[in-house]
Amino acid sequence: MRIKNICCIGAGYVGGPTMAVIAQKCPKVKVTVVDINEKRIKQWNNPDVEKIPIYEPGLSEIVKEARGRNLFFSTDVDKAIDEADMIFISVNTPTKTYGIGKGMAADLRYIELCARQIAAVAKTDKIVIEKSTLPVRTAAALRDILDSTGNGVKYQILSNPEFLAEGTAVEDLKNPDRVLIGGEIETEEGREAVDALVNIYASWVPREKILTTNVWSSELSKLTANAFLAQRVSSINAMSELCEKTGADINEVSKAIGMDSRIGSKFLKASVGFGGSCFQKDILNLVYIARTFNLKEVADYWEQVILMNDHQKRRFAANMVQTMYNTVAGKKIAILGWAFKKDTNDTRESAAIYVADYLLNEQAEIVVYDPKVTEEQIYSDLDYLGSRSGDANRQAVTVVDSPYEACEGAHAIAVLTEWDEFKELDWQKLYDQMLKPAFLFDGRRLLESKSKKEIGFEFYAIGN
Ligand code: NAD
Ligand code: UDX
């Protein structure tokens, strides 16, 4: 089966970069990324590639190369579905905010809408691919919807979860550790569909890195991978609190255990807490699934990863207040970094939002600097929490374009994202501009401590 036309529904952090790389690596395949969000599609089509809606190192260059050649962004979802041999569903699957499973289960309304739209529009056979992260057995629901039209169109449903991490998306897509494809490998049609997708990836990924499994294993592997990664962060963060009480240093502990080849060195960096759109959502979903099968111990085990993360964010903010003589009311606090990690403009579930909210509840005045996050986004993140009115957020929080402006006259600085540029700041200049004693809280273990203490900062770093 040769694939000529790919459609991807959802032009977000996964759909956009993933399809850009497929288009670059498979120049003979036409790739159309569609979305109902007109503003987002307009941004993807911005003649100035630096203004595409997602910031990822290396992405604008790829879009520049492929856009208009074999990569297209459009709001015409029906047309793209109609023309495609292969349809990726890459829409958002947030945590439910209503009804059964509220606050835990994945909200599958957007996935279902896609399936219904495909069923309504398709006139020729299609391979439909779950690219979004989904609860195990979602493919069965998709099959029900797609097969219920009775119009004779045949569908193959594959699971092809995405493992890219933001900030390194392009590199992860170009050189993935593995590509996972789940399909109905027990039938001939299922195997053909799997092969068709394998062939797309094999244009640039070595065959031995392309893993094929049954659909359920593939769906569950994605949730499992995120749960394991997040668990490592919560584990090291748990130890960071113990380090602070005992005189051990979390960086030294991380290094010592990471050199054990059975443990490995990655994902052992203590922080103010993990953020991002995936970890919390996917673990909550896993916990929910376990609960629906009455697996109480399994559910409780994984839930603890989230509870630990919430604790870490809260304890970082509480420690700031405590250190600053138990009050931050009326004090100016500069937050450096709002994104959930460096090299992305994504702020979903960023620890900075929760730390800022905690400090605002203590009546602090906040000034934020982030090299890639817009003022509009920062206010929208705070407004979404609903802790206070939009006006109150705009009164208490200022967003500025320079770290030096952020820190002028501040009582304290909190480093909440590990942007490289923060290491290179003129820390003496920042110190000179601040009120004394000048507090510096490093939530990322980004800064070298000795020189900061020599300058005169009251320096606090997580896990030290
Ligand atoms: P996103 O919110 O950035 O993008 C999703 C897009 O889908 C939005 O632009 C939305 O408008 C669009 N959409 C929703 N319903 C639609 C419909 N019916 N028709 C057309 N467009 C529609 O989300 P994302 O971060 O790209 O995540 C997408 C999925 O991939 C999620 O399931 C997520 O868990 C998973 N995932 C995300 C990452 C990541 O790093 N962000 C990594 C791996 C997997
Ligand atoms: C994650 C998974 O890594 C990726 O495979 C999946 O496809 C999507 O979810 P992402 O959320 O983009 O990717 O970034 P990741 O690098 O995993 O970081 C998640 C959060 O954990 C960030 O807030 C990061 O700062 C934090 N983190 C990560 C730590 O605090 N310490 C670490 O050692 C690693």
Side-chain angles (χ1 to χ4, degrees), residues 9-14 35-37 40 90-93 110 114 132-133 162 164 166 222 277-278 281 348:
I9 309 179
Y13 282 87
V14 168
D35 205 294
I36 42 176
N37 182 335
R40 215 166 203 184
S90 191
V91 299
N92 36 329
T93 51
Y110 308 107
C114 290
S132 299
T133 303
E162 186 48 62
L164 69 80
E166 290 178 27
K222 174 64 197 176
S277 65
C278 293
K281 160 178 85 74
R348 289 177 287 180

Side-chain angles (χ1 to χ4, degrees), residues 9 13-15 18 88-96 104-112 129-139 142 158-166 180 215-227 277-286 289 348:
I9 309 179
Y13 282 87
V14 168
T18 309
F88 287 85
I89 303 181
S90 191
V91 299
N92 36 329
T93 51
T95 304
K96 264 186 100 177
M104 298 291 290
D107 190 342
L108 299 179
R109 68 205 284 185
Y110 308 107
I111 292 286
E112 181 166 340
I129 300 168
E130 299 175 343
K131 187 51 123 174
S132 299
T133 303
L134 297 169
V136 54
R137 296 206 74 85
T138 304
L142 288 182
L158 306 182
S159 158
N160 171 222
E162 186 48 62
F163 294 100
L164 69 80
E166 290 178 27
L180 179 58
V215 181
W216 321 127
S217 306
S218 172
E219 287 178 335
L220 188 57
S221 296
K222 174 64 197 176
L223 292 182
T224 310
N226 275 353
S277 65
C278 293
F279 281 177
Q280 174 164 309
K281 160 178 85 74
D282 293 346
I283 295 180
L284 288 173
N285 184 9
L286 189 65
I289 294 169
R348 289 177 287 180

